[in-house]
Amino acid sequence: ETAMHGAAYASFPAMARFLVERGADVRVWHQKNTYGWTPLIIAQGYRPGNFKPETETIATISGLLLAAGIQPPPPPSKKGDGW
């Protein structure tokens, strides 16, 4: 887990931007956690419980990935891919 994962869990897009502005390395935070989820997957609602996609956080994290030269991956399927 990274601070970016935490920002995604809490649906805090401003915190995601803040972390990158302060030097959060995409090579570190754009990794799967022990559950197989990246921050983007978490924002897309792929986690236990009754969570729905959080569009502002998805857009922010996707934009941060694009700014780092990384094409955001499509959402995982419900079966496999960290779900």
Side-chain angles (χ1 to χ4, degrees):
E1 298 285 341
T2 66
M4 190 65 77
H5 286 81
Y9 279 122
S11 299
F12 289 158
M15 178 56 72
R17 287 188 298 273
F18 175 83
L19 291 168
V20 170
E21 289 168 3
R22 296 298 187 266
D25 188 339
V26 69
R27 295 172 296 177
V28 174
W29 64 259
H30 183 56
Q31 299 295 320
K32 292 180 178 179
N33 63 12
T34 57
Y35 299 106
W37 307 327
T38 65
L40 182 57
I41 290 170
I42 293 166
Q44 291 167 333
Y46 290 85
R47 52 189 164 145
N50 190 22
F51 292 98
K52 295 181 180 173
E54 208 294 303
T55 55
E56 187 178 350
T57 306
I58 293 167
T60 297
I61 293 173
S62 294
L64 295 171
L65 290 170
L66 285 170
I70 299 170
Q71 181 64 38
S77 66
K78 286 283 187 179
K79 296 180 182 177
D81 291 338
W83 179 246

